[in-house]
Amino acid sequence: MASAMKPSSFTVIVTVDIPEDRVPEFLKVMEGDASGSRNSAIDPGCMRFDFIKSKDVPNRYFFYEIYDKKKSTKVHRDTAHYKAWADFKKTGGVKNQDVKKCETDSVGQWALQANDSPSSQFKAGLIKTVDIDPNRIDEFLKVIGHDVLETRNKLLEPGCLRTDVLRCKDNPNRFVLYEKFVDDAA
C-alpha cells in the first residue's frame, strides 16, 4: 500500500453484522482479505485496509478502505482475497451490510492523514457520522480542519494514530470522522 494519501483517493466504509455461528469463518476470510488488500503487489489500488470490531454491538465489524481513484476497485474485486469475501457473503455469512462511499476532494488537503504506518497496531477506534447544516459546512470544515491538525500533533495527542475526515458521496452534508488510538485511554 502507498504510504502517502492523496486527494485522488476515495474511501469505502463497510459495516457488517455477522451471525454468531459464522464469526470464526468470517475472521479467517477477513484475515486473508485484509492481508491481500494490504499487499500492493496483489492489490495495487488499495492504499489502506483497516479491520475493526465494534465494542458496542456484538458481531459487528467495520472495514475502512482507501483506494487510489486511478486504479479502480475493479482490480480489488478481481483478487482471490476479495472473491473469498464475496463467496462468504453469498453463503449467508452476513446478516446486515451498510456501505458508505466517501471522498476527500471537497474537504481539503488535510482530510486524509499521510503518515500513518499500515503496521500501526491500534487498540481503539472511532467512526462517527455527522450531518451538518448546509449553511454551516464552511464553518464546520474550518473548525474540524483545525481540530484534525492539532489531533495529529503527537506532542498534543500522543495516543492518536490517525484522524481522517470524509464526505459521503450520496449526501454532501454528511461527514465521517475516523480516528485510531493506541488504546481506550487515548
Side-chain angles (χ1 to χ4, degrees):
M1 278 185 291
S3 61
M5 303 298 162
K6 304 170 192 161
S8 63
S9 61
F10 68 95
T11 304
V12 179
I13 302 168
V14 180
T15 305
V16 292
D17 294 323
I18 306 300
E20 188 171 347
D21 64 325
R22 301 294 301 272
V23 169
E25 180 186 0
F26 167 73
L27 293 175
K28 183 177 179 185
V29 167
M30 288 313 301
E31 181 179 2
D33 192 15
S35 64
S37 296
R38 294 173 183 151
N39 183 333
S40 60
I42 296 171
D43 204 339
C46 186
M47 299 164 63
R48 167 161 299 284
F49 191 105
D50 290 344
F51 178 68
I52 306 153
K53 183 180 186 328
S54 173
K55 287 187 174 191
D56 299 325
V57 180
N59 304 324
R60 176 168 290 168
Y61 298 84
F62 305 93
F63 319 154
Y64 182 77
E65 306 171 53
I66 302 176
Y67 294 92
D68 184 325
K69 279 186 186 175
K70 294 178 182 137
K71 297 175 184 164
S72 163
T73 57
K74 182 180 181 336
V75 172
H76 177 69
R77 289 188 304 262
D78 288 342
T79 62
H81 57 270
Y82 178 84
K83 288 179 181 176
W85 159 243
D87 290 345
F88 175 80
K89 285 187 350 180
K90 286 179 191 172
T91 66
V94 176
K95 285 196 305 193
N96 299 305
Q97 177 174 313
D98 177 63
V99 178
K100 287 183 177 61
K101 295 180 181 179
C102 303
E103 55 87 15
T104 58
D105 292 349
S106 67
V107 177
Q109 289 283 338
W110 51 266
L112 282 178
Q113 184 168 333
N115 59 354
D116 177 31
S117 166
S119 63
S120 292
Q121 292 297 313
F122 64 99
K123 302 292 183 197
L126 170 73
I127 300 173
K128 177 75 174 168
T129 303
V130 294
D131 290 323
I132 304 298
D133 181 314
N135 298 316
R136 303 196 66 192
I137 288 178
D138 289 340
E139 177 186 358
F140 168 76
L141 291 174
K142 183 178 177 182
V143 170
I144 198 72
H146 176 75
D147 182 61
V148 163
L149 295 176
E150 286 200 354
T151 300
R152 291 178 186 160
N153 181 332
K154 297 303 177 208
L155 296 174
L156 298 174
E157 295 272 352
C160 186
L161 299 170
R162 179 174 197 87
T163 303
D164 293 337
V165 178
L166 313 156
R167 184 179 236 165
C168 293
K169 287 186 167 194
D170 65 345
N171 181 346
N173 303 323
R174 180 166 292 150
F175 293 82
V176 178
L177 312 175
Y178 176 68
E179 295 184 276
K180 290 176 21 179
F181 304 97
V182 294
D183 56 32
D184 285 330

